[in-house]
Amino acid sequence: MRIAVITGASSGMGREFVRQIPHFYQGLDELWVIARRKERLTALKSICPIPIRIFAGDLTEEEFYIGLKAQLSKLRPDIRMLVNAAGFGKTGTVEDIYAKESGAQEKMIWLNCNALTKMIFMCMPYLSKGSRILNLSSAAAFCPQPRFAVYAASKSYVLSFSRALSGEWKRKGIYVTAVCPGPVDTEFFEVMGKPSNPLKKLVMADAPSVVRQALLDSRKKKTVSIYGGWMKAIRILMKLLPKEWVIRIESIGIK
């Protein structure tokens, strides 16, 4: 059984991967889709031309992985593609976010970092030559960001881990791509809050274009996928500017 596994599949980038992967990677037998909202996962059947196997649950809960591990052990699928698209962000200073939702930042780390890592470890025995992993990072990974501190740090982990794993597994013919978009017009901003920065509004991308670029870059065996000229320019700028300067600029207005 040749499959693709997609976390965060119920909305946003994850849902778009569900829509595009069957056309990009022909010959798949099933998509295994993972998210908390079962009704959203069931609705994916209307947009996907191949069978869908639903795993509804919370990736921050250890209990979720028991059922997934059992199915992997029983069916022993050939995982052609793993997409780690689950994640969320909160904007504001560390103190402000903690005051409003004391556990939100710890949960952010668990979902953005721990769950992604755990999914890779669980799928590892079922990957083989030609398999691909796409990990959703962010342009926020390029530099520490006051008012976005924990999210940016978590995505920096995803980028660093993906690049290192790519180096380890390239000899096996398994390719890992960190997807680093800027702002994308999805439900992500319903959780985080709409961006007030006019630059972020200016460079806002649409999910279908970002996902298409990510899949094309994965096909080209690229380690990092960045959509759009603006984000590529920002990545170069972040390499050139001293981090202290960027942090000082980002910190303007924080009391």
Side-chain angles (χ1 to χ4, degrees), residues 79-137:
I79 299 178
R80 295 287 80 206
M81 185 170 286
L82 167 62
V83 178
N84 283 304
F88 76 97
K90 291 282 184 180
T91 186
T93 67
V94 168
E95 287 180 292
D96 288 344
I97 297 171
Y98 184 81
K100 292 175 183 176
E101 299 177 68
S102 62
Q105 293 173 107
E106 291 95 327
K107 189 170 184 179
M108 198 188 309
I109 295 168
W110 224 111
L111 184 59
N112 295 358
C113 302
N114 293 30
L116 176 143
T117 307
K118 193 173 182 71
M119 283 297 304
I120 290 174
F121 290 169
M122 288 191 68
C123 293
M124 192 160 48
Y126 310 99
L127 302 170
S128 59
K129 187 174 182 179
S131 293
R132 283 168 164 77
I133 297 174
L134 290 97
N135 292 325
L136 266 290
S137 183

Side-chain angles (χ1 to χ4, degrees), residues 41-93:
L41 295 178
T42 302
L44 294 173
K45 294 178 180 180
S46 65
I47 66 167
C48 187
I50 62 175
I52 284 179
R53 191 178 296 258
I54 292 172
F55 294 86
D58 191 335
L59 283 165
T60 65
E61 300 291 338
E62 288 284 352
E63 291 79 6
F64 167 79
Y65 297 94
I66 296 172
L68 177 61
K69 185 177 181 179
Q71 285 296 297
L72 286 169
S73 299
K74 177 182 176 182
L75 299 174
R76 301 200 63 81
D78 178 9
I79 299 178
R80 295 287 80 206
M81 185 170 286
L82 167 62
V83 178
N84 283 304
F88 76 97
K90 291 282 184 180
T91 186
T93 67

